[in-house]
Amino acid sequence: MSTPSIVSSPAPDSTAYTTRLLQSAIAACLGLMIVGFVGFSHIEVVHNAAHDTRHANALPCH
């Protein structure tokens, strides 16, 4: 009596590429939303925290 075996085939490369592209697009959108919120925030504490973080990391901001 033989037992059935399940053979899985690897995912096509186009699926992996599409997944990476989608993840990159979502990360970019999230990053732009965060930068937009912090950069144009009228809440002075949020803006100053981001400003101090840029200076602490030696990044130019002016």
Side-chain angles (χ1 to χ4, degrees):
M1 185 165 163
S2 64
T3 58
S5 62
I6 299 173
V7 177
S8 63
S9 61
D13 288 336
S14 63
T15 303
Y17 175 75
T18 304
T19 302
R20 282 191 305 239
L21 186 63
L22 179 62
Q23 289 175 348
S24 298
I26 290 171
C29 288
L30 180 62
L32 287 173
M33 287 183 352
I34 290 172
V35 168
F37 170 74
V38 171
F40 296 107
S41 177
H42 294 290
I43 304 171
E44 193 170 340
V45 173
V46 174
H47 182 80
N48 287 341
H51 187 255
D52 293 343
T53 302
R54 285 190 295 262
H55 279 292
N57 290 315
L59 297 173
C61 61
H62 307 214

Short mmCIF file of all heavy atoms in Angstrom, two decimals:
data_model
loop_
_atom_site.label_atom_id
_atom_site.label_comp_id
_atom_site.label_asym_id
_atom_site.label_seq_id
_atom_site.Cartn_x
_atom_site.Cartn_y
_atom_site.Cartn_z
N MET A 1 0.84 -1.17 0.00
CA MET A 1 0.00 0.00 0.00
C MET A 1 0.90 1.24 0.00
O MET A 1 1.81 1.36 0.80
CB MET A 1 -0.87 -0.01 1.24
CG MET A 1 -1.85 1.09 1.27
SD MET A 1 -3.03 0.64 2.53
CE MET A 1 -3.77 2.15 2.78
N SER A 2 0.62 2.15 -0.89
CA SER A 2 1.45 3.35 -0.99
C SER A 2 0.72 4.53 -0.35
O SER A 2 -0.49 4.61 -0.35
CB SER A 2 1.76 3.65 -2.45
OG SER A 2 0.57 3.96 -3.13
N THR A 3 1.50 5.44 0.19
CA THR A 3 0.92 6.64 0.79
C THR A 3 1.09 7.80 -0.17
O THR A 3 2.15 7.96 -0.79
CB THR A 3 1.61 6.98 2.12
OG1 THR A 3 2.99 7.14 1.87
CG2 THR A 3 1.40 5.88 3.14
N PRO A 4 0.06 8.59 -0.30
CA PRO A 4 0.18 9.74 -1.21
C PRO A 4 1.13 10.78 -0.62
O PRO A 4 1.17 10.99 0.58
CB PRO A 4 -1.24 10.28 -1.31
CG PRO A 4 -1.92 9.79 -0.10
CD PRO A 4 -1.25 8.50 0.31
N SER A 5 1.90 11.38 -1.46
CA SER A 5 2.81 12.43 -1.01
C SER A 5 2.41 13.75 -1.66
O SER A 5 1.95 13.79 -2.79
CB SER A 5 4.26 12.08 -1.35
OG SER A 5 4.39 11.98 -2.74
N ILE A 6 2.59 14.78 -0.91
CA ILE A 6 2.26 16.12 -1.41
C ILE A 6 3.55 16.77 -1.89
O ILE A 6 4.51 16.87 -1.14
CB ILE A 6 1.60 16.97 -0.31
CG1 ILE A 6 0.30 16.32 0.15
CG2 ILE A 6 1.37 18.38 -0.80
CD1 ILE A 6 -0.33 16.99 1.33
N VAL A 7 3.54 17.15 -3.12
CA VAL A 7 4.70 17.81 -3.70
C VAL A 7 4.33 19.27 -3.92
O VAL A 7 3.38 19.59 -4.62
CB VAL A 7 5.10 17.16 -5.04
CG1 VAL A 7 6.27 17.91 -5.66
CG2 VAL A 7 5.40 15.70 -4.85
N SER A 8 5.06 20.13 -3.26
CA SER A 8 4.77 21.56 -3.43
C SER A 8 5.77 22.15 -4.39
O SER A 8 6.96 21.85 -4.35
CB SER A 8 4.82 22.28 -2.09
OG SER A 8 6.11 22.20 -1.56
N SER A 9 5.27 22.96 -5.26
CA SER A 9 6.16 23.63 -6.20
C SER A 9 6.49 25.02 -5.68
O SER A 9 5.68 25.65 -5.01
CB SER A 9 5.48 23.73 -7.58
OG SER A 9 4.32 24.49 -7.47
N PRO A 10 7.68 25.49 -5.94
CA PRO A 10 8.04 26.82 -5.46
C PRO A 10 7.18 27.89 -6.14
O PRO A 10 6.70 27.72 -7.25
CB PRO A 10 9.51 26.98 -5.85
CG PRO A 10 9.73 25.97 -6.92
CD PRO A 10 8.74 24.86 -6.70
N ALA A 11 6.97 28.98 -5.41
CA ALA A 11 6.17 30.07 -5.95
C ALA A 11 6.89 30.69 -7.14
O ALA A 11 8.11 30.77 -7.18
CB ALA A 11 5.94 31.12 -4.89
N PRO A 12 6.14 31.11 -8.13
CA PRO A 12 6.78 31.75 -9.28
C PRO A 12 7.50 33.03 -8.87
O PRO A 12 7.14 33.69 -7.90
CB PRO A 12 5.62 32.07 -10.21
CG PRO A 12 4.42 31.44 -9.64
CD PRO A 12 4.73 31.00 -8.26
N ASP A 13 8.55 33.37 -9.60
CA ASP A 13 9.32 34.56 -9.27
C ASP A 13 8.50 35.83 -9.39
O ASP A 13 8.73 36.78 -8.66
CB ASP A 13 10.54 34.66 -10.19
CG ASP A 13 11.59 33.61 -9.85
OD1 ASP A 13 11.60 33.15 -8.69
OD2 ASP A 13 12.37 33.26 -10.74
N SER A 14 7.52 35.84 -10.27
CA SER A 14 6.71 37.05 -10.43
C SER A 14 5.88 37.33 -9.18
O SER A 14 5.65 38.48 -8.83
CB SER A 14 5.81 36.93 -11.66
OG SER A 14 4.89 35.87 -11.49
N THR A 15 5.46 36.27 -8.50
CA THR A 15 4.69 36.46 -7.27
C THR A 15 5.58 37.06 -6.18
O THR A 15 5.16 37.98 -5.47
CB THR A 15 4.10 35.12 -6.79
OG1 THR A 15 3.30 34.58 -7.82
CG2 THR A 15 3.27 35.31 -5.55
N ALA A 16 6.79 36.57 -6.06
CA ALA A 16 7.72 37.10 -5.06
C ALA A 16 8.06 38.55 -5.37
O ALA A 16 8.12 39.39 -4.47
CB ALA A 16 8.98 36.25 -5.01
N TYR A 17 8.27 38.85 -6.65
CA TYR A 17 8.57 40.23 -7.04
C TYR A 17 7.40 41.15 -6.74
O TYR A 17 7.58 42.25 -6.21
CB TYR A 17 8.92 40.28 -8.53
CG TYR A 17 9.12 41.68 -9.04
CD1 TYR A 17 10.29 42.38 -8.75
CD2 TYR A 17 8.14 42.32 -9.81
CE1 TYR A 17 10.48 43.67 -9.21
CE2 TYR A 17 8.33 43.61 -10.27
CZ TYR A 17 9.50 44.28 -9.97
OH TYR A 17 9.68 45.55 -10.41
N THR A 18 6.19 40.70 -7.04
CA THR A 18 5.00 41.51 -6.78
C THR A 18 4.82 41.75 -5.29
O THR A 18 4.48 42.86 -4.87
CB THR A 18 3.75 40.81 -7.35
OG1 THR A 18 3.96 40.56 -8.74
CG2 THR A 18 2.51 41.65 -7.17
N THR A 19 5.08 40.73 -4.49
CA THR A 19 4.96 40.88 -3.04
C THR A 19 5.97 41.89 -2.51
O THR A 19 5.62 42.76 -1.71
CB THR A 19 5.17 39.52 -2.35
OG1 THR A 19 4.22 38.60 -2.85
CG2 THR A 19 5.02 39.63 -0.86
N ARG A 20 7.21 41.79 -2.98
CA ARG A 20 8.23 42.76 -2.54
C ARG A 20 7.88 44.17 -2.99
O ARG A 20 8.07 45.14 -2.24
CB ARG A 20 9.59 42.36 -3.09
CG ARG A 20 10.25 41.23 -2.33
CD ARG A 20 11.68 41.09 -2.77
NE ARG A 20 11.75 40.92 -4.21
CZ ARG A 20 12.28 39.88 -4.83
NH1 ARG A 20 12.80 38.92 -4.13
NH2 ARG A 20 12.29 39.80 -6.14
N LEU A 21 7.37 44.29 -4.19
CA LEU A 21 7.00 45.61 -4.71
C LEU A 21 5.86 46.21 -3.89
O LEU A 21 5.88 47.39 -3.55
CB LEU A 21 6.60 45.49 -6.18
CG LEU A 21 6.33 46.79 -6.92
CD1 LEU A 21 7.58 47.65 -6.97
CD2 LEU A 21 5.83 46.50 -8.32
N LEU A 22 4.87 45.39 -3.56
CA LEU A 22 3.75 45.87 -2.75
C LEU A 22 4.21 46.27 -1.36
O LEU A 22 3.81 47.33 -0.85
CB LEU A 22 2.68 44.78 -2.66
CG LEU A 22 1.44 45.11 -1.83
CD1 LEU A 22 0.71 46.30 -2.44
CD2 LEU A 22 0.53 43.91 -1.73
N GLN A 23 5.07 45.49 -0.74
CA GLN A 23 5.59 45.83 0.58
C GLN A 23 6.39 47.13 0.54
O GLN A 23 6.28 47.97 1.44
CB GLN A 23 6.45 44.70 1.12
CG GLN A 23 5.67 43.48 1.51
CD GLN A 23 6.57 42.33 1.93
OE1 GLN A 23 7.78 42.36 1.73
NE2 GLN A 23 5.96 41.30 2.49
N SER A 24 7.17 47.31 -0.51
CA SER A 24 7.95 48.54 -0.65
C SER A 24 7.05 49.75 -0.83
O SER A 24 7.30 50.82 -0.26
CB SER A 24 8.91 48.43 -1.83
OG SER A 24 9.82 47.40 -1.64
N ALA A 25 6.00 49.60 -1.62
CA ALA A 25 5.06 50.70 -1.85
C ALA A 25 4.33 51.07 -0.56
O ALA A 25 4.17 52.26 -0.26
CB ALA A 25 4.07 50.32 -2.94
N ILE A 26 3.92 50.08 0.19
CA ILE A 26 3.23 50.35 1.46
C ILE A 26 4.18 51.04 2.44
O ILE A 26 3.80 52.00 3.12
CB ILE A 26 2.66 49.06 2.06
CG1 ILE A 26 1.49 48.57 1.19
CG2 ILE A 26 2.21 49.25 3.50
CD1 ILE A 26 0.98 47.20 1.56
N ALA A 27 5.44 50.59 2.51
CA ALA A 27 6.41 51.21 3.40
C ALA A 27 6.68 52.66 2.99
O ALA A 27 6.79 53.55 3.84
CB ALA A 27 7.71 50.41 3.40
N ALA A 28 6.77 52.91 1.69
CA ALA A 28 7.00 54.28 1.21
C ALA A 28 5.82 55.18 1.55
O ALA A 28 6.00 56.32 1.99
CB ALA A 28 7.25 54.28 -0.29
N CYS A 29 4.61 54.68 1.37
CA CYS A 29 3.42 55.47 1.70
C CYS A 29 3.36 55.77 3.19
O CYS A 29 3.05 56.89 3.60
CB CYS A 29 2.15 54.75 1.25
SG CYS A 29 1.91 54.75 -0.53
N LEU A 30 3.65 54.76 4.01
CA LEU A 30 3.66 54.97 5.45
C LEU A 30 4.72 56.00 5.84
O LEU A 30 4.46 56.89 6.65
CB LEU A 30 3.91 53.65 6.17
CG LEU A 30 3.95 53.70 7.69
CD1 LEU A 30 2.60 54.17 8.24
CD2 LEU A 30 4.29 52.34 8.25
N GLY A 31 5.89 55.89 5.25
CA GLY A 31 6.95 56.85 5.54
C GLY A 31 6.57 58.27 5.14
O GLY A 31 6.82 59.22 5.88
N LEU A 32 5.96 58.42 3.97
CA LEU A 32 5.53 59.75 3.54
C LEU A 32 4.44 60.32 4.44
O LEU A 32 4.41 61.52 4.71
CB LEU A 32 5.04 59.70 2.09
CG LEU A 32 6.15 59.54 1.05
CD1 LEU A 32 5.54 59.33 -0.34
CD2 LEU A 32 7.05 60.76 1.05
N MET A 33 3.56 59.46 4.90
CA MET A 33 2.51 59.93 5.82
C MET A 33 3.12 60.40 7.14
O MET A 33 2.72 61.43 7.68
CB MET A 33 1.47 58.83 6.07
CG MET A 33 0.58 58.59 4.89
SD MET A 33 -0.74 57.37 5.05
CE MET A 33 -0.50 56.55 6.56
N ILE A 34 4.10 59.65 7.64
CA ILE A 34 4.74 60.04 8.90
C ILE A 34 5.50 61.35 8.71
O ILE A 34 5.39 62.26 9.54
CB ILE A 34 5.67 58.92 9.39
CG1 ILE A 34 4.84 57.73 9.86
CG2 ILE A 34 6.57 59.42 10.52
CD1 ILE A 34 5.65 56.50 10.19
N VAL A 35 6.27 61.45 7.64
CA VAL A 35 7.02 62.68 7.39
C VAL A 35 6.06 63.86 7.19
O VAL A 35 6.29 64.95 7.71
CB VAL A 35 7.95 62.52 6.17
CG1 VAL A 35 8.51 63.85 5.71
CG2 VAL A 35 9.07 61.55 6.50
N GLY A 36 4.99 63.64 6.47
CA GLY A 36 4.00 64.70 6.26
C GLY A 36 3.34 65.12 7.56
O GLY A 36 3.15 66.32 7.81
N PHE A 37 3.01 64.16 8.39
CA PHE A 37 2.38 64.50 9.67
C PHE A 37 3.33 65.28 10.55
O PHE A 37 2.95 66.31 11.12
CB PHE A 37 1.93 63.22 10.40
CG PHE A 37 1.49 63.48 11.81
CD1 PHE A 37 0.28 64.10 12.07
CD2 PHE A 37 2.29 63.11 12.88
CE1 PHE A 37 -0.13 64.35 13.37
CE2 PHE A 37 1.89 63.36 14.18
CZ PHE A 37 0.68 63.98 14.43
N VAL A 38 4.55 64.81 10.67
CA VAL A 38 5.51 65.46 11.56
C VAL A 38 5.96 66.80 10.98
O VAL A 38 6.07 67.79 11.68
CB VAL A 38 6.73 64.54 11.81
CG1 VAL A 38 7.83 65.27 12.54
CG2 VAL A 38 6.29 63.32 12.62
N GLY A 39 6.21 66.83 9.69
CA GLY A 39 6.73 68.05 9.07
C GLY A 39 5.74 69.19 9.04
O GLY A 39 6.11 70.34 9.19
N PHE A 40 4.47 68.86 8.85
CA PHE A 40 3.46 69.91 8.76
C PHE A 40 2.56 69.96 9.98
O PHE A 40 1.50 70.58 9.95
CB PHE A 40 2.61 69.70 7.50
CG PHE A 40 3.41 69.84 6.24
CD1 PHE A 40 3.73 68.72 5.49
CD2 PHE A 40 3.86 71.07 5.83
CE1 PHE A 40 4.48 68.84 4.34
CE2 PHE A 40 4.61 71.21 4.68
CZ PHE A 40 4.91 70.09 3.93
N SER A 41 2.99 69.33 11.06
CA SER A 41 2.18 69.30 12.27
C SER A 41 2.15 70.67 12.93
O SER A 41 3.15 71.37 13.03
CB SER A 41 2.76 68.27 13.24
OG SER A 41 2.02 68.28 14.43
N HIS A 42 0.98 71.05 13.37
CA HIS A 42 0.84 72.29 14.13
C HIS A 42 1.09 72.06 15.60
O HIS A 42 1.13 73.01 16.37
CB HIS A 42 -0.55 72.89 13.92
CG HIS A 42 -0.77 73.35 12.51
ND1 HIS A 42 -0.14 74.43 11.97
CD2 HIS A 42 -1.53 72.83 11.53
CE1 HIS A 42 -0.51 74.58 10.72
NE2 HIS A 42 -1.35 73.62 10.41
N ILE A 43 1.22 70.80 15.97
CA ILE A 43 1.55 70.46 17.35
C ILE A 43 3.05 70.67 17.51
O ILE A 43 3.86 69.94 16.96
CB ILE A 43 1.16 69.01 17.67
CG1 ILE A 43 -0.32 68.76 17.38
CG2 ILE A 43 1.48 68.69 19.12
CD1 ILE A 43 -0.71 67.31 17.46
N GLU A 44 3.42 71.67 18.24
CA GLU A 44 4.82 72.08 18.33
C GLU A 44 5.70 70.99 18.95
O GLU A 44 6.84 70.82 18.57
CB GLU A 44 4.94 73.37 19.13
CG GLU A 44 6.29 74.01 19.02
CD GLU A 44 6.31 75.40 19.62
OE1 GLU A 44 5.25 76.01 19.77
OE2 GLU A 44 7.42 75.85 19.93
N VAL A 45 5.16 70.24 19.88
CA VAL A 45 5.94 69.19 20.54
C VAL A 45 6.35 68.12 19.53
O VAL A 45 7.50 67.66 19.54
CB VAL A 45 5.12 68.56 21.69
CG1 VAL A 45 5.83 67.36 22.27
CG2 VAL A 45 4.85 69.59 22.76
N VAL A 46 5.44 67.72 18.65
CA VAL A 46 5.75 66.70 17.65
C VAL A 46 6.81 67.21 16.68
O VAL A 46 7.78 66.53 16.38
CB VAL A 46 4.47 66.29 16.88
CG1 VAL A 46 4.79 65.35 15.74
CG2 VAL A 46 3.47 65.67 17.83
N HIS A 47 6.63 68.44 16.22
CA HIS A 47 7.59 69.01 15.27
C HIS A 47 8.97 69.16 15.91
O HIS A 47 9.98 68.82 15.29
CB HIS A 47 7.09 70.38 14.78
CG HIS A 47 8.00 70.99 13.76
ND1 HIS A 47 7.99 70.62 12.44
CD2 HIS A 47 8.98 71.92 13.89
CE1 HIS A 47 8.91 71.30 11.80
NE2 HIS A 47 9.52 72.10 12.66
N ASN A 48 9.03 69.64 17.14
CA ASN A 48 10.31 69.83 17.81
C ASN A 48 10.99 68.49 18.10
O ASN A 48 12.22 68.40 18.03
CB ASN A 48 10.13 70.63 19.09
CG ASN A 48 9.86 72.08 18.81
OD1 ASN A 48 10.14 72.58 17.73
ND2 ASN A 48 9.27 72.78 19.77
N ALA A 49 10.22 67.47 18.40
CA ALA A 49 10.81 66.15 18.65
C ALA A 49 11.47 65.63 17.38
O ALA A 49 12.58 65.08 17.42
CB ALA A 49 9.74 65.18 19.14
N ALA A 50 10.83 65.80 16.25
CA ALA A 50 11.41 65.37 14.99
C ALA A 50 12.65 66.20 14.66
O ALA A 50 13.65 65.68 14.17
CB ALA A 50 10.39 65.48 13.87
N HIS A 51 12.58 67.48 14.93
CA HIS A 51 13.71 68.38 14.67
C HIS A 51 14.91 67.98 15.51
O HIS A 51 16.04 67.89 15.01
CB HIS A 51 13.27 69.81 14.99
CG HIS A 51 14.27 70.84 14.62
ND1 HIS A 51 15.06 71.47 15.54
CD2 HIS A 51 14.63 71.33 13.41
CE1 HIS A 51 15.85 72.32 14.93
NE2 HIS A 51 15.61 72.26 13.64
N ASP A 52 14.69 67.71 16.79
CA ASP A 52 15.79 67.30 17.67
C ASP A 52 16.35 65.95 17.25
O ASP A 52 17.56 65.72 17.35
CB ASP A 52 15.31 67.25 19.12
CG ASP A 52 14.96 68.63 19.64
OD1 ASP A 52 15.38 69.63 19.03
OD2 ASP A 52 14.24 68.71 20.67
N THR A 53 15.49 65.05 16.77
CA THR A 53 15.96 63.74 16.31
C THR A 53 16.86 63.89 15.09
O THR A 53 17.89 63.21 14.98
CB THR A 53 14.76 62.83 15.99
OG1 THR A 53 13.96 62.70 17.15
CG2 THR A 53 15.22 61.47 15.54
N ARG A 54 16.48 64.78 14.18
CA ARG A 54 17.34 65.00 13.00
C ARG A 54 18.70 65.54 13.42
O ARG A 54 19.73 65.11 12.89
CB ARG A 54 16.66 65.97 12.04
CG ARG A 54 15.51 65.35 11.27
CD ARG A 54 15.04 66.26 10.17
NE ARG A 54 14.47 67.51 10.64
CZ ARG A 54 13.17 67.75 10.78
NH1 ARG A 54 12.30 66.82 10.48
NH2 ARG A 54 12.74 68.90 11.22
N HIS A 55 18.73 66.47 14.36
CA HIS A 55 20.01 67.00 14.83
C HIS A 55 20.82 65.92 15.56
O HIS A 55 22.04 65.87 15.40
CB HIS A 55 19.78 68.19 15.76
CG HIS A 55 19.52 69.46 15.03
ND1 HIS A 55 20.47 70.10 14.28
CD2 HIS A 55 18.38 70.20 14.92
CE1 HIS A 55 19.93 71.20 13.74
NE2 HIS A 55 18.68 71.28 14.12
N ALA A 56 20.17 65.09 16.34
CA ALA A 56 20.87 64.04 17.08
C ALA A 56 21.51 63.03 16.13
O ALA A 56 22.55 62.44 16.45
CB ALA A 56 19.91 63.33 18.03
N ASN A 57 20.92 62.83 14.96
CA ASN A 57 21.45 61.90 13.97
C ASN A 57 22.37 62.60 12.95
O ASN A 57 22.74 62.00 11.95
CB ASN A 57 20.32 61.19 13.24
CG ASN A 57 19.61 60.22 14.15
OD1 ASN A 57 20.25 59.48 14.88
ND2 ASN A 57 18.29 60.25 14.12
N ALA A 58 22.71 63.84 13.21
CA ALA A 58 23.60 64.63 12.36
C ALA A 58 23.04 64.80 10.96
O ALA A 58 23.80 64.82 9.98
CB ALA A 58 24.99 64.03 12.34
N LEU A 59 21.74 64.91 10.83
CA LEU A 59 21.12 65.14 9.53
C LEU A 59 20.75 66.61 9.39
O LEU A 59 20.26 67.22 10.34
CB LEU A 59 19.85 64.30 9.39
CG LEU A 59 20.05 62.79 9.45
CD1 LEU A 59 18.71 62.08 9.48
CD2 LEU A 59 20.87 62.32 8.26
N PRO A 60 20.99 67.19 8.23
CA PRO A 60 20.63 68.58 8.05
C PRO A 60 19.10 68.73 7.97
O PRO A 60 18.40 67.86 7.48
CB PRO A 60 21.26 68.95 6.71
CG PRO A 60 21.40 67.65 6.00
CD PRO A 60 21.60 66.61 7.04
N CYS A 61 18.61 69.81 8.50
CA CYS A 61 17.16 70.01 8.43
C CYS A 61 16.78 71.44 8.10
O CYS A 61 15.61 71.76 8.06
CB CYS A 61 16.51 69.57 9.74
SG CYS A 61 17.09 70.50 11.16
N HIS A 62 17.74 72.30 7.90
CA HIS A 62 17.41 73.68 7.55
C HIS A 62 18.00 73.96 6.18
O HIS A 62 19.04 73.58 5.85
CB HIS A 62 18.01 74.70 8.50
CG HIS A 62 17.71 74.47 9.93
ND1 HIS A 62 17.55 75.50 10.80
CD2 HIS A 62 17.52 73.35 10.66
CE1 HIS A 62 17.32 75.03 12.01
NE2 HIS A 62 17.31 73.71 11.95
#
